[in-house]
Amino acid sequence: MIDEAQQESIETPDRQDIKAELLKAVKDLPPMPKVLFKIQKLLIDPNSDAKQIAGYIETDQALAAKVLRMANSPFYGMTGKVSSVQHAAVILGFKTLGELTMLAGFSDLMGKKLPGYGYNSDELWRHSLAVALASRIIAEKINPELSNEALTAGLIHDMGKVILDPYVLDRREAFDVFVENENQTFLIAEKHVLGFDHAEIASEICLKWKFPDSLALAIKYHHNPSRSNGNEMAFILHLADYIAVLSGSGYGYDEILDVREEGTEEFLSIHQQDMKKIENLILESIFKIEAELTM
Ligand SMILES: [Fe+2]
Ligand SMILES: [Fe+2]
């Protein structure tokens, strides 16, 4: 069996080419939708308010329509009562409107089919949504200041898969042979075949989209937070990923996500009974939100 240190030392010419191509693909990625970028900034600015968020939402008609539909969904308990984005700002308030907008905005980016990974069109999105909700709940429990950022981190933590997918599709056989013969995870196979795993690529996307460095680091280590130098968000994402899988929002076979690093719960002071509660909460939330976002 090849261990991870050996992975890094195997640098074939083909892999060097792929690595360069992947970095270019990240570089060529369009910027984060402007309105989401602005709203993300407002969400961590203590001087901003819901009306400002509403103002930005109104600049993007498709987003505004989606936000309104969600605001009227059973999840937010306002069925049929919210008539405009400004109205939503008054009824829902700063935090909820911001959260709902990030969910609405990222649902398009993450709703793609990924044939390389074998995901249907809503599979990446459903998993990302579950991890986002679980991350926010964990953050609220242990460090409420991180809760908005935790939601975004959860939404984009696996976005590297969107970039890697066509490369995986072209080399699917090499992946399957490696996973089978070496008895390794798909995550390790990404690194072995392509030179980068999806967490590293997602972290590059964060940097390109000018997210804080600490968030890029958290995403880079969401599968192995013990290497993150104590980055709280990396541990939050790691546990949220695990809870999402427990709740049935995993991917099936390509990541061994039912394994979590030892010491994760201890680091976050989250207990077994908390995990069960979070699992139930996200199940309930996903059920209510999903219908509105996949329409
Ligand atoms: Fe991941
Ligand atoms: Fe994940």
Side-chain angles (χ1 to χ4, degrees):
M1 203 199 261
I2 301 173
D3 66 25
E4 262 185 79
Q6 284 172 298
Q7 296 299 322
E8 314 223 357
S9 64
I10 304 168
E11 210 43 279
T12 60
D14 178 44
R15 208 169 73 169
Q16 276 176 4
D17 290 349
I18 305 169
K19 280 176 86 171
E21 262 186 62
L22 284 170
L23 288 176
K24 190 174 178 310
V26 172
K27 206 171 151 238
D28 292 345
L29 201 71
M32 183 180 175
K34 217 176 180 174
V35 55
L36 293 183
F37 185 72
K38 292 253 164 75
I39 291 168
Q40 170 67 16
K41 282 211 136 159
L42 286 180
L43 278 172
I44 44 177
D45 174 1
N47 299 318
S48 57
D49 59 37
K51 273 196 169 300
Q52 282 175 287
I53 296 185
Y56 280 122
I57 298 169
E58 282 171 333
T59 64
D60 182 328
Q61 270 192 2
L63 183 66
K66 216 163 196 177
V67 164
L68 262 188
R69 201 161 66 215
M70 278 183 72
N72 283 302
S73 76
F75 182 66
Y76 292 101
M78 297 288 163
T79 317
K81 289 185 193 149
V82 186
S83 54
S84 69
V85 175
Q86 290 294 343
H87 188 199
V90 176
I91 297 185
L92 298 172
F94 173 75
K95 217 175 156 189
T96 307
L97 182 66
E99 165 194 310
L100 181 156
T101 309
M102 294 311 279
L103 293 182
F106 276 106
S107 67
D108 287 343
L109 287 169
M110 309 299 284
K112 295 188 174 89
K113 194 173 175 172
L114 301 185
Y117 285 93
Y119 300 165
N120 293 326
S121 52
D122 63 343
E123 221 168 327
L124 177 69
W125 166 244
R126 196 173 199 280
H127 172 74
S128 308
L129 180 61
V131 174
L133 295 170
S135 299
R136 194 200 52 190
I137 297 168
I138 299 168
E140 251 157 27
K141 199 168 164 49
I142 62 165
N143 184 355
E145 279 189 6
L146 286 181
S147 63
N148 281 327
E149 198 172 273
L151 186 93
T152 310
L155 284 174
I156 59 177
H157 79 288
D158 274 344
M159 199 165 168
K161 292 188 175 184
V162 176
I163 298 274
L164 293 188
D165 188 67
Y167 296 85
V168 176
L169 187 63
D170 283 351
R171 297 164 184 82
R172 185 68 216 207
E173 210 185 318
F175 271 85
D176 292 340
V177 167
F178 180 78
V179 167
E180 177 87 27
N181 291 355
E182 302 297 333
N183 193 25
Q184 292 283 7
T185 62
F186 208 86
L187 181 77
I188 305 268
E190 289 172 349
K191 184 90 178 164
H192 174 74
V193 179
L194 304 174
F196 288 116
D197 64 38
H198 71 270
E200 291 171 311
I201 292 293
S203 168
E204 292 294 324
I205 297 173
C206 285
L207 294 174
K208 156 143 184 130
W209 282 355
K210 302 198 168 48
F211 281 114
D213 289 355
S214 59
L215 187 71
L217 190 77
I219 286 181
K220 182 172 181 178
Y221 293 112
H222 74 262
H223 287 289
N224 28 41
S226 63
R227 295 197 211 158
S228 72
N229 207 5
N231 182 308
E232 208 173 5
M233 191 71 83
F235 284 87
I236 291 175
L237 285 173
H238 187 58
L239 191 65
D241 225 350
Y242 174 72
I243 298 174
V245 173
L246 285 186
S247 79
S249 301
Y251 295 120
Y253 68 95
D254 75 338
E255 283 184 7
I256 303 185
L257 285 173
D258 53 351
V259 179
R260 64 199 182 284
E261 270 196 343
E262 220 175 286
T264 303
E265 291 100 306
E266 289 78 6
F267 182 92
L268 296 169
S269 302
I270 294 280
H271 307 289
Q272 198 59 39
Q273 63 268 37
D274 299 322
M275 306 238 299
K276 193 73 216 157
K277 266 189 233 158
I278 299 170
E279 191 190 328
N280 288 336
L281 274 172
I282 61 173
L283 267 179
E284 206 181 301
S285 309
I286 286 181
F287 179 73
K288 289 179 184 164
I289 290 179
E290 211 173 32
E292 308 305 318
L293 284 171
T294 48
M295 273 163 68

